[in-house]
Amino acid sequence: MEEETERLLVSVRNYMVFLYVGSVTASIAPRLAMKVVSTTVASSIRFLSDGYDLSVTCSFFAMATLLLQGKLARVLERRPAPAPRLTPLAAWPLAVCTWVSMTAFFLNYLTFGDDDLGGYGEWAVAGVASAVNLLMAARSVMRHLA
């Protein structure tokens, strides 16, 4: 039983490191890239990020949400069946951290570059994607705790 507990703790630790590194990368890398690259490259990157339409933004947010929520569900799932599970005091903060990381990722995507703040439609999509992400995280935790 101790081996399963250790596996669960390692899984949670790896997931939290993944969230941390992903959040830092998503928040710092675009800003650094805009400062480091030449103005010609920076203007073409801004043009590319401006050229996406709302359907691409929706698809991108849906894909990112599904991937991260799937990873959260794998961390929360009990394998094999008698394996230990996380307590509510550990599972809920994990879900909240997932939601905050994805919301920050969405906001960084919309504000990529200094001048591009996205349109109203993109911000609405980010709000809906964030709400869906929160609902999926809550559903995963409730299913895990049941």
Side-chain angles (χ1 to χ4, degrees):
M1 188 67 156
E2 191 172 308
E3 188 176 307
E4 287 95 11
T5 304
E6 182 66 27
R7 188 169 12 143
L8 176 66
L9 293 176
V10 166
S11 176
V12 170
R13 184 191 66 219
N14 289 343
Y15 181 72
M16 290 304 293
V17 167
F18 172 76
L19 280 181
Y20 177 74
V21 169
S23 296
V24 168
T25 303
S27 63
I28 293 175
R31 307 255 186 279
L32 282 175
M34 296 304 284
K35 303 294 182 203
V36 172
V37 298
S38 69
T39 56
T40 307
V41 174
S43 64
S44 65
I45 290 173
R46 279 198 187 108
F47 172 74
L48 289 174
S49 66
D50 289 343
Y52 294 144
D53 60 357
L54 200 54
S55 63
V56 172
T57 301
C58 290
S59 301
F60 181 70
F61 286 176
M63 180 189 65
T65 296
L66 290 175
L67 288 174
L68 193 61
Q69 290 300 330
K71 192 162 181 67
L72 174 65
R74 281 191 301 278
V75 168
L76 293 175
E77 119 181 291
R78 294 170 63 176
R79 288 173 289 167
R85 67 170 134 187
L86 290 176
T87 64
L89 290 176
W92 283 109
L94 200 62
V96 169
C97 287
T98 301
W99 171 64
V100 168
S101 293
M102 279 309 288
T103 300
F105 182 70
F106 296 155
L107 295 178
N108 284 322
Y109 173 83
L110 290 179
T111 59
F112 182 73
D114 296 331
D115 299 330
D116 181 29
L117 294 177
Y120 293 118
E122 290 175 325
W123 282 98
V125 168
V128 169
S130 178
V132 167
N133 193 357
L134 180 60
L135 290 173
M136 287 177 72
R139 181 180 176 272
S140 293
V141 170
M142 288 188 293
R143 193 169 135 201
H144 164 72
L145 295 176

